[in-house]
Every structure is written in C-alpha cells, then in structure tokens.
Amino acid sequence: MTLTVLAVVLAGSGYVALDRWILNTGLPDGLIQANGRIEGDHVTVASKFSGRIQELLVREGATVTQGQVLIRLDNSQTAARVQQAKHAAEALEAQVQGAHMTLAILNLDVPLAIERADAQVAKAKDTVDKALSVAREARSDAQRFKDLAAKDEASIQQRDQAVMRWEVARKDIGSARSALTQATKELAQAELGWKRIRAKESDVVALEQQRDQAYAFLDEVESVLKDLTITAPTSGTVTTRMVDVGEVVAAGAPLLELIDLDHLYLKVYVPEVQIGKVRLDLPARVYTDAFPDRPFAAAVRYIASKAEFTPKEVQTPDERVKLIYPVKLYLNENPDHRLTPGLPADAIIRWKDDVAWAKPRG
C-alpha cells in the first residue's frame, strides 16, 4: 500500500515537471523560445531639392557605408550660382579691407593734422600779439614825433617816418589777424576729421554686413550644391530603388530605401500565457541556420502593449485564434554584417538569471 502511494506521487510529480517542460517547447523553466525573421530599421533616402538625376551609383541589394555617394543630381546651374556668389563675396571683402585701410590712415592722419593746425593757430596768435605790441610802440613814437615837430624839436622827416611806421604796424595787425582767422578755420577743418572717422567707421560696418550677407548666401548655395550629391545617411543595404537616371525628382521625394545593418532586430511573437514573463532589457540569444553554432547576443527592446491574433503565415489554423504579443529583440552587434534582413531565426529569451542557456528545440 505504501509503495503504491509513493509510485503515484512520483508519477504525479513527473507529470507536472514534464508538463512544464512541454509548455516551454522542451526548454527548462526560465527560458522562452520564439522565432521570426531578422528585420532592420528602414531609412528612406530623399533629396532636399528637386532636380534631374545625373548619376545613380547603387542598385537594389548593394551594401553601402555611411557617407558613400549614392546619387548625383544635375548641379550645373547651382555650380554657376556658387561661382557668382563667391566673386561677389570676394569683391565685398576687398572693399572691406580697403575701407579698413582708409580708416587706419585717417586715425593716424587726423591727430597729426589737428596738431599742425593747432600749432599754426598758436603761431598766428603770437604774431597778432607781437603786431599789437609793435603798433602800440609805433603809435606812441608817431605821437611823440608829432609833438616834437610842432615845437621844432624834431624834423618833419622824423615825424613822417614815425607816422609811416605806425601805419605799417596797423597793417601788420590786420595781416596777423587774417592769418589767425585762417589758422582757426584750418584747425576747425582738421577737427572735422573725427567726424570723417566716425562716418568711415559706419561705412565699414555697413560693408562688413554686406560682406557677411554675401558669405552667408555663398554658404547657402554651396550647401545646396553639396546636397545635390546624395550620400548614405547610414551603413546598410539598398532594399528599394524608386528612380532611374534622367528622371526629374521633386524635393523630398523618396529615392532609395536602406536598412541599417548595424541595428538589426528579430521580431518574434510570444503567446499571451508567457508574455508576463517578458520584460524590457531581458537578455536573449539569436540562432540562424547560416550560423547554427554561433549565437548572437540580443536584448528585449520592445514589447507590444496590445495582443493580436497569430499571423496566418506563422501558425497552423488551430493556433491562429491564439493571442500573441509582438516582441523585438535588438541584436547587440552584427560583426562583419553577417546577418541580413529576411533571414529566419530562432531566439531564446532568458527571464531567470540562474537558468543556463540552451539551444532552441526543433
């Protein structure tokens, strides 16, 4: 009796363990097996500008690297605009340099001109002062000789000479004052040089703004010229070609489609009864028929929030009514780009850290 009970218990325990094993397709508890096809992030290559396709350097299936030239649009008109913009910018640059040189000369010349004019004013003032002093002395002499001549104590000739010296001294005063007025005007003219400097500085600023605008326009047309040569935004494989040589394409129209070989993922479907075990960042291993003994490390990066019915092309008619969740396992690396989109693959997702890895079961 005891042996019979023990046998039943052991048989029941074995049944439970076996049942758990079967639910996981022959894998130990802690591992989930799923399958699907390797896919990649699609990148659409388009042109920023409209134009006629002059060269098409890749076809479907071609492997390209980031920065590789894919398509060249006709750039003859844009190249001509670049040359015109370059000449205009260089001409304005020459004007700016000339204006800076003129301004530098003015900054040196104006202080010197003011200094010279100031010296002339000082000299003219001194001349006026001397002329006034001489005139006062001559006037005094003329008056004295007039008085002496009236008393016959001086000759008429002496009187006339003294009067003449006074008249000459008065004329010298007028000349000296005229020279002082002229020197003062020249000083004022020289001091206007500061205003000419400020005006020239404004001209330089305006020219610099025009030059900067010209160079900005040059940068713009050079950018357009550069964008007419379309390069690969990322490394990958050309999957679709929408255009051919000679076609005129619109700005933003898709030209090629790439798949990034460095960011591949395996899209699998996990049954509803197991989705609760799957969480983001869980480790996984991907196996392919091409490399059966070379698993590729991956991680869970996407879990669908809504369930869907099993795809018709994946499961048998009896299992199509089952609910599943799409899950994406992103590969950590793709050495030498061995894996390509479209390859079927099996995956093992480990949701318990202490469980040893195992290969997919058939």
Side-chain angles (χ1 to χ4, degrees):
M1 179 67 178
T2 305
L3 292 175
T4 303
V5 173
L6 180 61
V8 171
V9 171
L10 290 174
S13 301
Y15 176 79
V16 172
L18 179 61
D19 182 57
R20 289 174 62 191
W21 191 274
I22 291 173
L23 284 176
N24 286 281
T25 63
L27 293 174
D29 189 33
L31 300 180
I32 298 174
Q33 178 174 333
N35 58 63
R37 288 187 180 273
I38 293 177
E39 299 180 16
D41 295 329
H42 288 257
V43 177
T44 300
V45 178
S47 172
K48 292 182 181 179
F49 305 97
S50 60
R52 183 176 61 83
I53 296 179
Q54 193 172 51
E55 290 184 83
L56 180 60
L57 304 175
V58 293
R59 299 282 177 174
E60 290 93 336
T63 300
V64 300
T65 57
Q66 186 176 11
Q68 179 179 335
V69 177
L70 306 178
I71 295 174
R72 286 192 176 95
L73 301 181
D74 184 11
N75 63 3
S76 54
Q77 292 183 352
T78 307
R81 291 178 63 199
V82 168
Q83 289 301 316
Q84 291 175 354
K86 186 176 182 180
H87 292 325
E90 288 174 348
L92 282 168
E93 181 65 44
Q95 292 183 41
V96 169
Q97 296 301 323
H100 273 293
M101 185 174 294
T102 301
L103 184 59
I105 293 173
L106 282 174
N107 278 311
L108 292 174
D109 186 58
V110 168
L112 293 175
I114 292 175
E115 186 178 349
R116 289 192 299 267
D118 211 5
Q120 291 297 322
V121 168
K123 182 179 179 181
K125 287 181 178 179
D126 187 58
T127 302
V128 168
D129 291 341
K130 289 180 179 179
L132 289 172
S133 178
V134 170
R136 284 194 295 270
E137 185 178 351
R139 179 181 180 182
S140 177
D141 288 346
Q143 186 62 46
R144 182 165 57 82
F145 276 103
K146 281 182 181 180
D147 294 339
L148 291 174
K151 298 176 182 178
D152 291 330
E153 293 178 359
S155 65
I156 299 300
Q157 184 179 4
Q158 288 176 323
R159 182 198 64 187
D160 293 342
Q161 288 176 348
V163 171
M164 186 176 295
R165 284 196 299 272
W166 181 33
E167 291 177 355
V168 171
R170 285 191 298 177
K171 290 179 180 179
D172 289 343
I173 291 173
S175 298
R177 285 175 173 168
S178 296
L180 177 58
T181 301
Q182 183 62 32
T184 303
K185 290 180 179 179
E186 290 178 0
L187 176 60
Q189 185 66 28
E191 289 175 339
L192 287 175
W194 297 120
K195 293 185 177 180
R196 288 196 295 272
I197 287 176
R198 288 193 291 271
K200 196 63 181 179
E201 288 173 343
S202 298
D203 291 342
V204 169
V205 170
L207 282 173
E208 287 176 338
Q209 290 175 346
Q210 294 177 30
R211 177 204 59 190
D212 293 344
Q213 291 175 355
Y215 275 116
F217 180 70
L218 175 60
D219 290 341
E220 181 182 348
V221 292
E222 283 181 337
S223 176
V224 173
L225 180 64
K226 181 180 178 181
D227 287 335
L228 293 179
T229 298
I230 301 168
T231 59
T234 184
S235 298
T237 299
V238 180
T239 57
T240 309
R241 174 177 58 88
M242 297 85 159
V243 294
D244 210 336
V245 175
E247 290 186 33
V248 176
V249 297
L255 309 177
L256 300 170
E257 196 168 83
L258 306 177
I259 288 184
D260 185 358
L261 295 180
D262 291 319
H263 296 85
L264 298 181
Y265 61 87
L266 179 66
K267 185 176 182 181
V268 299
Y269 296 92
V270 177
E272 186 179 23
V273 295
Q274 291 183 317
I275 196 64
K277 304 171 184 176
V278 180
R279 59 185 183 275
L280 292 178
D281 297 327
L282 279 180
R285 288 186 177 181
V286 175
Y287 294 81
T288 63
D289 293 338
F291 307 100
D293 298 323
R294 170 65 168 90
F296 294 86
V300 177
R301 300 298 184 204
Y302 169 81
I303 303 172
S305 59
K306 294 182 179 180
E308 58 185 63
F309 289 108
T310 305
K312 293 181 180 181
E313 66 273 12
V314 175
Q315 299 291 348
T316 63
D318 292 338
E319 294 187 347
R320 289 176 192 161
V321 295
K322 293 183 178 180
L323 291 176
I324 56 167
Y325 285 80
V327 174
K328 291 182 182 180
L329 310 176
Y330 274 81
L331 296 164
N332 294 350
E333 59 178 350
N334 184 14
D336 302 324
H337 292 168
R338 296 177 185 177
L339 302 180
T340 57
L343 284 177
D346 295 314
I348 299 296
I349 303 172
R350 187 169 72 177
W351 58 279
K352 285 187 177 181
D353 294 338
D354 56 350
V355 176
W357 287 101
K359 289 186 177 182
R361 301 295 190 262

